[in-house]
Amino acid sequence: MKYNLIIFNYPVSILFRINAYLCTENQDLSSMNISRRLNEETIWLLFLCLAAFFINNSSLPTDIMETRNIVTAREIVADGNWLVPTMNGVLRIEKPPLPTWIAAVVETLNPRDLSTQRSAAGLAAAMWTMFLYFVGKYTTRRRDYAFISTLVFITCYNVILMGRSATWDIYCHAFMMGGIYYLMRLLYDDRYYAHSHKWRWGLLAGVFMGLSFMSKGPVSFYALLLPFLIAMLYSVRPTMRGKGGPLALLIILTLVLSSWWYIVLWITHPEMLHYVLSKETGAWSNHNVRPWYYYWRFFSEMGAWALLTLAALIVPYWKKRVPQPRQYTAAVVMLVSSLVLLSLMPEKKMRYLLPMCVPVAYSVAHILLYYKDRHVWDRFADLLFKINGTIVALVIVAMPVLIHLFVYGRGIIDHGTAIFVDVLCLAVLWYLIRSMRLHKIIDMVNSVAILFLIAECFMIKSIGMAFGNPDKHSIHEVVKQENVKHLPFYHPASEDLRIEMVYQAGRKILPVDVNNLNDIASKAPCVLVTREPLSQAIPAKVLAHLDTIKVAQCDDNVHPKSNKHYSRQFLNQVSIVKVKK
């Protein structure tokens, strides 16, 4: 936790510095009131970021993408292969290496600590949140809109989950959001300020976009930048006078930062690069192929904002009512463009909808701003407001029930903690009902944020414990034993080894040909990790020349046996193998 707070201090200081700069741009109110209001909003958003991305961030189990990234980072540190990393001894160049380099730096500073690894991803998520706030404020010139859209964004559970996972996605979209902000400053500053720092904005936009490419290739260019450009061209087209040079700088920097690593690979490992590029291209068209309508339920991924997300698509209705119809329409155009572009890709997964949280937050914020600015609503708007509030209220009521059934009932938390959470939920319910009755929209949005705050502080850890595998006996504990910790680890080359096993072992588990006595003898004494008992994994004629000692039977499933995701792939026997003298 010490490292988490140290890391988190950096975005805190950055936000306060930019906050001070923003205070000088508004002269409509007294500077004291502006500073006070901004500071209150900033502190609240920072606190929500801390809860969303840092508190209890090691409670949930790692997924396969996270284990791949961390295993590669560990091998970078152990072997020093920064330019050409490996994963379990095999070249790992399927993804650009920036997030893995960050993970390797974290591994150097605090080895084998999942919380610190995820804190680095949380820092990226906080940066994404920060730039989303500034883009929202810049496009509408309204602090309340920026504040509301940020609250909506940070209460999308997809954002929270990915901000707690040390993978590539959160980095590429966070950097791209920064690139979008500085691109906007380059293109539109001359509309608002007498002097525009075009070269500065072009430089920063190029750097951030290049870093986005180095995080996950062109993913965010396609899923976040392209929808933004479509919406920008639809809403307010910028004048290009005097911007050719800065735009050229932006493009050159983006190309250089995006391509230099691939040029190094092309020079050093051309065959491997060609193979990986072909494999990755094929994966997009052959792996997890879904029908074009697969994302029809995209709105359900937005959690508490699902209903308002659907409602925001009723453009003819809201365009006549929202305070800023052009900006609202641009947000919806960005949302629809993102959905269409993602639907055109053959490979589809629900986590690929992560960048859509940006236009959803902006679109929903315009609807909420209508409720905030208008004191009298028509029947449809009033009914929508009440239904959405009722749904949130029902969720709040359900939380204590779920806690008592799945958390307290299983002895994961004590009675006092359960009662405390019950009281908090009742307080939030009262706060929500009061804000709805008094039409205090920001208070209503804050009640949703507080609900997430309670879940992040009190429930995430309990969820990880409640749905874990009670019979787990991980290889992570086995490798610490004196009789095996100094021996090399291998697995039969004929068996596919799950990378999660390598992650848990904290060391390479390399393939060996168990049908070849000479191959085993050259590596013995060693530890062999097999799915089946050695009598079935090794041919009898080879086994006759070996001395074997069974060390443990490992179960590295993160789910219990009753879960459909429980797999025999995580059941392995660990044995010491020696050649008979």
PDB file of all heavy atoms in Angstrom, residues 447-475:
ATOM      1  N   SER A 447     -24.680  10.011  -5.465  1.00  0.00           N
ATOM      2  CA  SER A 447     -25.167   8.855  -4.707  1.00  0.00           C
ATOM      3  C   SER A 447     -24.766   7.554  -5.394  1.00  0.00           C
ATOM      4  O   SER A 447     -24.438   6.559  -4.730  1.00  0.00           O
ATOM      5  CB  SER A 447     -26.691   8.929  -4.540  1.00  0.00           C
ATOM      6  OG  SER A 447     -27.351   8.781  -5.784  1.00  0.00           O
ATOM      7  N   VAL A 448     -24.774   7.548  -6.735  1.00  0.00           N
ATOM      8  CA  VAL A 448     -24.294   6.372  -7.470  1.00  0.00           C
ATOM      9  C   VAL A 448     -22.801   6.183  -7.230  1.00  0.00           C
ATOM     10  O   VAL A 448     -22.323   5.067  -7.019  1.00  0.00           O
ATOM     11  CB  VAL A 448     -24.588   6.519  -8.975  1.00  0.00           C
ATOM     12  CG1 VAL A 448     -24.015   5.331  -9.755  1.00  0.00           C
ATOM     13  CG2 VAL A 448     -26.085   6.635  -9.226  1.00  0.00           C
ATOM     14  N   ALA A 449     -22.054   7.294  -7.247  1.00  0.00           N
ATOM     15  CA  ALA A 449     -20.613   7.208  -7.002  1.00  0.00           C
ATOM     16  C   ALA A 449     -20.323   6.677  -5.596  1.00  0.00           C
ATOM     17  O   ALA A 449     -19.403   5.869  -5.405  1.00  0.00           O
ATOM     18  CB  ALA A 449     -19.972   8.583  -7.188  1.00  0.00           C
ATOM     19  N   ILE A 450     -21.113   7.112  -4.610  1.00  0.00           N
ATOM     20  CA  ILE A 450     -20.920   6.632  -3.232  1.00  0.00           C
ATOM     21  C   ILE A 450     -21.245   5.143  -3.141  1.00  0.00           C
ATOM     22  O   ILE A 450     -20.584   4.392  -2.418  1.00  0.00           O
ATOM     23  CB  ILE A 450     -21.784   7.450  -2.252  1.00  0.00           C
ATOM     24  CG1 ILE A 450     -21.329   8.917  -2.246  1.00  0.00           C
ATOM     25  CG2 ILE A 450     -21.696   6.875  -0.849  1.00  0.00           C
ATOM     26  CD1 ILE A 450     -22.260   9.843  -1.490  1.00  0.00           C
ATOM     27  N   LEU A 451     -22.268   4.712  -3.888  1.00  0.00           N
ATOM     28  CA  LEU A 451     -22.615   3.289  -3.908  1.00  0.00           C
ATOM     29  C   LEU A 451     -21.426   2.461  -4.420  1.00  0.00           C
ATOM     30  O   LEU A 451     -21.090   1.419  -3.848  1.00  0.00           O
ATOM     31  CB  LEU A 451     -23.834   3.080  -4.803  1.00  0.00           C
ATOM     32  CG  LEU A 451     -24.375   1.658  -4.902  1.00  0.00           C
ATOM     33  CD1 LEU A 451     -24.902   1.190  -3.552  1.00  0.00           C
ATOM     34  CD2 LEU A 451     -25.482   1.572  -5.958  1.00  0.00           C
ATOM     35  N   PHE A 452     -20.797   2.927  -5.490  1.00  0.00           N
ATOM     36  CA  PHE A 452     -19.614   2.241  -6.005  1.00  0.00           C
ATOM     37  C   PHE A 452     -18.477   2.303  -4.987  1.00  0.00           C
ATOM     38  O   PHE A 452     -17.705   1.352  -4.856  1.00  0.00           O
ATOM     39  CB  PHE A 452     -19.179   2.865  -7.331  1.00  0.00           C
ATOM     40  CG  PHE A 452     -19.873   2.287  -8.525  1.00  0.00           C
ATOM     41  CD1 PHE A 452     -21.145   2.696  -8.889  1.00  0.00           C
ATOM     42  CD2 PHE A 452     -19.250   1.323  -9.299  1.00  0.00           C
ATOM     43  CE1 PHE A 452     -21.793   2.163  -9.989  1.00  0.00           C
ATOM     44  CE2 PHE A 452     -19.886   0.770 -10.397  1.00  0.00           C
ATOM     45  CZ  PHE A 452     -21.162   1.195 -10.746  1.00  0.00           C
ATOM     46  N   LEU A 453     -18.379   3.423  -4.292  1.00  0.00           N
ATOM     47  CA  LEU A 453     -17.341   3.579  -3.277  1.00  0.00           C
ATOM     48  C   LEU A 453     -17.485   2.522  -2.184  1.00  0.00           C
ATOM     49  O   LEU A 453     -16.496   1.907  -1.756  1.00  0.00           O
ATOM     50  CB  LEU A 453     -17.425   4.987  -2.687  1.00  0.00           C
ATOM     51  CG  LEU A 453     -16.298   5.449  -1.773  1.00  0.00           C
ATOM     52  CD1 LEU A 453     -15.015   5.611  -2.552  1.00  0.00           C
ATOM     53  CD2 LEU A 453     -16.675   6.770  -1.113  1.00  0.00           C
ATOM     54  N   ILE A 454     -18.713   2.281  -1.760  1.00  0.00           N
ATOM     55  CA  ILE A 454     -18.971   1.259  -0.736  1.00  0.00           C
ATOM     56  C   ILE A 454     -18.577  -0.121  -1.257  1.00  0.00           C
ATOM     57  O   ILE A 454     -17.931  -0.912  -0.557  1.00  0.00           O
ATOM     58  CB  ILE A 454     -20.453   1.283  -0.323  1.00  0.00           C
ATOM     59  CG1 ILE A 454     -20.789   2.601   0.374  1.00  0.00           C
ATOM     60  CG2 ILE A 454     -20.781   0.106   0.584  1.00  0.00           C
ATOM     61  CD1 ILE A 454     -22.273   2.795   0.632  1.00  0.00           C
ATOM     62  N   ALA A 455     -18.953  -0.405  -2.506  1.00  0.00           N
ATOM     63  CA  ALA A 455     -18.621  -1.707  -3.092  1.00  0.00           C
ATOM     64  C   ALA A 455     -17.120  -1.899  -3.205  1.00  0.00           C
ATOM     65  O   ALA A 455     -16.594  -2.982  -2.924  1.00  0.00           O
ATOM     66  CB  ALA A 455     -19.288  -1.834  -4.468  1.00  0.00           C
ATOM     67  N   GLU A 456     -16.419  -0.843  -3.601  1.00  0.00           N
ATOM     68  CA  GLU A 456     -14.967  -0.941  -3.786  1.00  0.00           C
ATOM     69  C   GLU A 456     -14.232  -1.104  -2.460  1.00  0.00           C
ATOM     70  O   GLU A 456     -13.217  -1.794  -2.390  1.00  0.00           O
ATOM     71  CB  GLU A 456     -14.471   0.318  -4.529  1.00  0.00           C
ATOM     72  CG  GLU A 456     -14.907   0.372  -5.979  1.00  0.00           C
ATOM     73  CD  GLU A 456     -15.074   1.781  -6.500  1.00  0.00           C
ATOM     74  OE1 GLU A 456     -14.809   2.759  -5.750  1.00  0.00           O
ATOM     75  OE2 GLU A 456     -15.495   1.936  -7.654  1.00  0.00           O
ATOM     76  N   CYS A 457     -14.752  -0.477  -1.431  1.00  0.00           N
ATOM     77  CA  CYS A 457     -14.081  -0.544  -0.133  1.00  0.00           C
ATOM     78  C   CYS A 457     -14.440  -1.788   0.670  1.00  0.00           C
ATOM     79  O   CYS A 457     -13.604  -2.306   1.416  1.00  0.00           O
ATOM     80  CB  CYS A 457     -14.407   0.708   0.685  1.00  0.00           C
ATOM     81  SG  CYS A 457     -13.719   2.234   0.025  1.00  0.00           S
ATOM     82  N   PHE A 458     -15.689  -2.277   0.514  1.00  0.00           N
ATOM     83  CA  PHE A 458     -16.159  -3.340   1.402  1.00  0.00           C
ATOM     84  C   PHE A 458     -16.534  -4.642   0.696  1.00  0.00           C
ATOM     85  O   PHE A 458     -16.608  -5.683   1.347  1.00  0.00           O
ATOM     86  CB  PHE A 458     -17.374  -2.853   2.201  1.00  0.00           C
ATOM     87  CG  PHE A 458     -17.070  -1.727   3.136  1.00  0.00           C
ATOM     88  CD1 PHE A 458     -17.365  -0.421   2.783  1.00  0.00           C
ATOM     89  CD2 PHE A 458     -16.464  -1.964   4.362  1.00  0.00           C
ATOM     90  CE1 PHE A 458     -17.086   0.630   3.638  1.00  0.00           C
ATOM     91  CE2 PHE A 458     -16.177  -0.915   5.217  1.00  0.00           C
ATOM     92  CZ  PHE A 458     -16.477   0.386   4.858  1.00  0.00           C
ATOM     93  N   MET A 459     -16.781  -4.605  -0.618  1.00  0.00           N
ATOM     94  CA  MET A 459     -17.329  -5.783  -1.263  1.00  0.00           C
ATOM     95  C   MET A 459     -16.369  -6.489  -2.214  1.00  0.00           C
ATOM     96  O   MET A 459     -16.457  -7.703  -2.378  1.00  0.00           O
ATOM     97  CB  MET A 459     -18.617  -5.421  -2.022  1.00  0.00           C
ATOM     98  CG  MET A 459     -19.751  -4.998  -1.115  1.00  0.00           C
ATOM     99  SD  MET A 459     -21.328  -4.860  -1.980  1.00  0.00           S
ATOM    100  CE  MET A 459     -21.664  -6.562  -2.414  1.00  0.00           C
ATOM    101  N   ILE A 460     -15.465  -5.729  -2.856  1.00  0.00           N
ATOM    102  CA  ILE A 460     -14.600  -6.371  -3.855  1.00  0.00           C
ATOM    103  C   ILE A 460     -13.756  -7.463  -3.225  1.00  0.00           C
ATOM    104  O   ILE A 460     -13.625  -8.568  -3.764  1.00  0.00           O
ATOM    105  CB  ILE A 460     -13.725  -5.314  -4.563  1.00  0.00           C
ATOM    106  CG1 ILE A 460     -14.570  -4.541  -5.563  1.00  0.00           C
ATOM    107  CG2 ILE A 460     -12.532  -5.967  -5.252  1.00  0.00           C
ATOM    108  CD1 ILE A 460     -13.813  -3.571  -6.421  1.00  0.00           C
ATOM    109  N   LYS A 461     -13.166  -7.171  -2.077  1.00  0.00           N
ATOM    110  CA  LYS A 461     -12.356  -8.175  -1.403  1.00  0.00           C
ATOM    111  C   LYS A 461     -13.201  -9.377  -1.009  1.00  0.00           C
ATOM    112  O   LYS A 461     -12.774 -10.536  -1.137  1.00  0.00           O
ATOM    113  CB  LYS A 461     -11.698  -7.573  -0.165  1.00  0.00           C
ATOM    114  CG  LYS A 461     -10.692  -8.495   0.511  1.00  0.00           C
ATOM    115  CD  LYS A 461      -9.965  -7.771   1.630  1.00  0.00           C
ATOM    116  CE  LYS A 461      -8.910  -8.676   2.268  1.00  0.00           C
ATOM    117  NZ  LYS A 461      -8.158  -7.971   3.342  1.00  0.00           N
ATOM    118  N   SER A 462     -14.413  -9.109  -0.570  1.00  0.00           N
ATOM    119  CA  SER A 462     -15.305 -10.195  -0.172  1.00  0.00           C
ATOM    120  C   SER A 462     -15.733 -11.034  -1.369  1.00  0.00           C
ATOM    121  O   SER A 462     -15.862 -12.257  -1.273  1.00  0.00           O
ATOM    122  CB  SER A 462     -16.545  -9.618   0.522  1.00  0.00           C
ATOM    123  OG  SER A 462     -16.170  -8.854   1.647  1.00  0.00           O
ATOM    124  N   ILE A 463     -15.948 -10.383  -2.517  1.00  0.00           N
ATOM    125  CA  ILE A 463     -16.327 -11.117  -3.727  1.00  0.00           C
ATOM    126  C   ILE A 463     -15.215 -12.067  -4.133  1.00  0.00           C
ATOM    127  O   ILE A 463     -15.451 -13.231  -4.477  1.00  0.00           O
ATOM    128  CB  ILE A 463     -16.659 -10.136  -4.867  1.00  0.00           C
ATOM    129  CG1 ILE A 463     -17.960  -9.394  -4.567  1.00  0.00           C
ATOM    130  CG2 ILE A 463     -16.760 -10.867  -6.204  1.00  0.00           C
ATOM    131  CD1 ILE A 463     -18.261  -8.265  -5.514  1.00  0.00           C
ATOM    132  N   GLY A 464     -13.977 -11.582  -4.095  1.00  0.00           N
ATOM    133  CA  GLY A 464     -12.845 -12.432  -4.444  1.00  0.00           C
ATOM    134  C   GLY A 464     -12.737 -13.638  -3.538  1.00  0.00           C
ATOM    135  O   GLY A 464     -12.399 -14.740  -3.981  1.00  0.00           O
ATOM    136  N   MET A 465     -13.056 -13.451  -2.255  1.00  0.00           N
ATOM    137  CA  MET A 465     -12.992 -14.559  -1.301  1.00  0.00           C
ATOM    138  C   MET A 465     -14.203 -15.478  -1.435  1.00  0.00           C
ATOM    139  O   MET A 465     -14.092 -16.704  -1.319  1.00  0.00           O
ATOM    140  CB  MET A 465     -12.899 -14.015   0.121  1.00  0.00           C
ATOM    141  CG  MET A 465     -11.633 -13.223   0.402  1.00  0.00           C
ATOM    142  SD  MET A 465     -11.654 -12.453   2.043  1.00  0.00           S
ATOM    143  CE  MET A 465     -11.681 -13.901   3.096  1.00  0.00           C
ATOM    144  N   ALA A 466     -15.365 -14.902  -1.701  1.00  0.00           N
ATOM    145  CA  ALA A 466     -16.602 -15.687  -1.742  1.00  0.00           C
ATOM    146  C   ALA A 466     -16.647 -16.636  -2.926  1.00  0.00           C
ATOM    147  O   ALA A 466     -17.190 -17.732  -2.836  1.00  0.00           O
ATOM    148  CB  ALA A 466     -17.804 -14.751  -1.767  1.00  0.00           C
ATOM    149  N   PHE A 467     -16.098 -16.214  -4.056  1.00  0.00           N
ATOM    150  CA  PHE A 467     -16.201 -17.021  -5.260  1.00  0.00           C
ATOM    151  C   PHE A 467     -14.866 -17.662  -5.646  1.00  0.00           C
ATOM    152  O   PHE A 467     -14.675 -18.110  -6.766  1.00  0.00           O
ATOM    153  CB  PHE A 467     -16.737 -16.163  -6.410  1.00  0.00           C
ATOM    154  CG  PHE A 467     -18.127 -15.647  -6.158  1.00  0.00           C
ATOM    155  CD1 PHE A 467     -18.328 -14.364  -5.676  1.00  0.00           C
ATOM    156  CD2 PHE A 467     -19.234 -16.448  -6.363  1.00  0.00           C
ATOM    157  CE1 PHE A 467     -19.606 -13.881  -5.430  1.00  0.00           C
ATOM    158  CE2 PHE A 467     -20.512 -15.985  -6.119  1.00  0.00           C
ATOM    159  CZ  PHE A 467     -20.701 -14.705  -5.644  1.00  0.00           C
ATOM    160  N   GLY A 468     -13.925 -17.710  -4.714  1.00  0.00           N
ATOM    161  CA  GLY A 468     -12.657 -18.365  -4.961  1.00  0.00           C
ATOM    162  C   GLY A 468     -12.757 -19.872  -4.797  1.00  0.00           C
ATOM    163  O   GLY A 468     -13.808 -20.430  -4.479  1.00  0.00           O
ATOM    164  N   ASN A 469     -11.651 -20.542  -5.007  1.00  0.00           N
ATOM    165  CA  ASN A 469     -11.597 -21.997  -4.918  1.00  0.00           C
ATOM    166  C   ASN A 469     -11.120 -22.402  -3.518  1.00  0.00           C
ATOM    167  O   ASN A 469      -9.955 -22.221  -3.183  1.00  0.00           O
ATOM    168  CB  ASN A 469     -10.652 -22.549  -5.983  1.00  0.00           C
ATOM    169  CG  ASN A 469     -10.550 -24.058  -5.943  1.00  0.00           C
ATOM    170  OD1 ASN A 469     -11.341 -24.737  -5.290  1.00  0.00           O
ATOM    171  ND2 ASN A 469      -9.566 -24.591  -6.653  1.00  0.00           N
ATOM    172  N   PRO A 470     -12.005 -22.967  -2.698  1.00  0.00           N
ATOM    173  CA  PRO A 470     -11.591 -23.332  -1.327  1.00  0.00           C
ATOM    174  C   PRO A 470     -10.587 -24.484  -1.311  1.00  0.00           C
ATOM    175  O   PRO A 470      -9.878 -24.671  -0.315  1.00  0.00           O
ATOM    176  CB  PRO A 470     -12.907 -23.729  -0.660  1.00  0.00           C
ATOM    177  CG  PRO A 470     -13.802 -24.138  -1.788  1.00  0.00           C
ATOM    178  CD  PRO A 470     -13.414 -23.273  -2.946  1.00  0.00           C
ATOM    179  N   ASP A 471     -10.530 -25.267  -2.387  1.00  0.00           N
ATOM    180  CA  ASP A 471      -9.620 -26.418  -2.451  1.00  0.00           C
ATOM    181  C   ASP A 471      -8.325 -26.097  -3.182  1.00  0.00           C
ATOM    182  O   ASP A 471      -7.578 -27.010  -3.533  1.00  0.00           O
ATOM    183  CB  ASP A 471     -10.315 -27.593  -3.147  1.00  0.00           C
ATOM    184  CG  ASP A 471     -11.587 -28.007  -2.428  1.00  0.00           C
ATOM    185  OD1 ASP A 471     -11.561 -28.050  -1.183  1.00  0.00           O
ATOM    186  OD2 ASP A 471     -12.604 -28.279  -3.105  1.00  0.00           O
ATOM    187  N   LYS A 472      -8.072 -24.824  -3.396  1.00  0.00           N
ATOM    188  CA  LYS A 472      -6.888 -24.451  -4.160  1.00  0.00           C
ATOM    189  C   LYS A 472      -5.608 -24.832  -3.420  1.00  0.00           C
ATOM    190  O   LYS A 472      -5.448 -24.550  -2.232  1.00  0.00           O
ATOM    191  CB  LYS A 472      -6.905 -22.939  -4.426  1.00  0.00           C
ATOM    192  CG  LYS A 472      -5.760 -22.465  -5.307  1.00  0.00           C
ATOM    193  CD  LYS A 472      -5.909 -20.984  -5.646  1.00  0.00           C
ATOM    194  CE  LYS A 472      -4.797 -20.514  -6.567  1.00  0.00           C
ATOM    195  NZ  LYS A 472      -4.945 -19.088  -6.936  1.00  0.00           N
ATOM    196  N   HIS A 473      -4.717 -25.486  -4.145  1.00  0.00           N
ATOM    197  CA  HIS A 473      -3.375 -25.788  -3.634  1.00  0.00           C
ATOM    198  C   HIS A 473      -2.413 -25.422  -4.754  1.00  0.00           C
ATOM    199  O   HIS A 473      -2.136 -26.210  -5.654  1.00  0.00           O
ATOM    200  CB  HIS A 473      -3.248 -27.261  -3.253  1.00  0.00           C
ATOM    201  CG  HIS A 473      -1.875 -27.627  -2.764  1.00  0.00           C
ATOM    202  ND1 HIS A 473      -1.261 -26.995  -1.699  1.00  0.00           N
ATOM    203  CD2 HIS A 473      -0.988 -28.552  -3.198  1.00  0.00           C
ATOM    204  CE1 HIS A 473      -0.066 -27.505  -1.500  1.00  0.00           C
ATOM    205  NE2 HIS A 473       0.126 -28.458  -2.396  1.00  0.00           N
ATOM    206  N   SER A 474      -1.924 -24.195  -4.723  1.00  0.00           N
ATOM    207  CA  SER A 474      -1.217 -23.630  -5.857  1.00  0.00           C
ATOM    208  C   SER A 474       0.229 -24.084  -5.924  1.00  0.00           C
ATOM    209  O   SER A 474       0.888 -24.341  -4.904  1.00  0.00           O
ATOM    210  CB  SER A 474      -1.263 -22.099  -5.780  1.00  0.00           C
ATOM    211  OG  SER A 474      -0.515 -21.524  -6.839  1.00  0.00           O
ATOM    212  N   ILE A 475       0.732 -24.131  -7.150  1.00  0.00           N
ATOM    213  CA  ILE A 475       2.145 -24.404  -7.377  1.00  0.00           C
ATOM    214  C   ILE A 475       3.006 -23.284  -6.796  1.00  0.00           C
ATOM    215  O   ILE A 475       4.205 -23.470  -6.565  1.00  0.00           O
ATOM    216  CB  ILE A 475       2.413 -24.597  -8.887  1.00  0.00           C
ATOM    217  CG1 ILE A 475       3.790 -25.235  -9.112  1.00  0.00           C
ATOM    218  CG2 ILE A 475       2.275 -23.275  -9.630  1.00  0.00           C
ATOM    219  CD1 ILE A 475       4.053 -25.591 -10.570  1.00  0.00           C
TER     220      ILE A 475
END
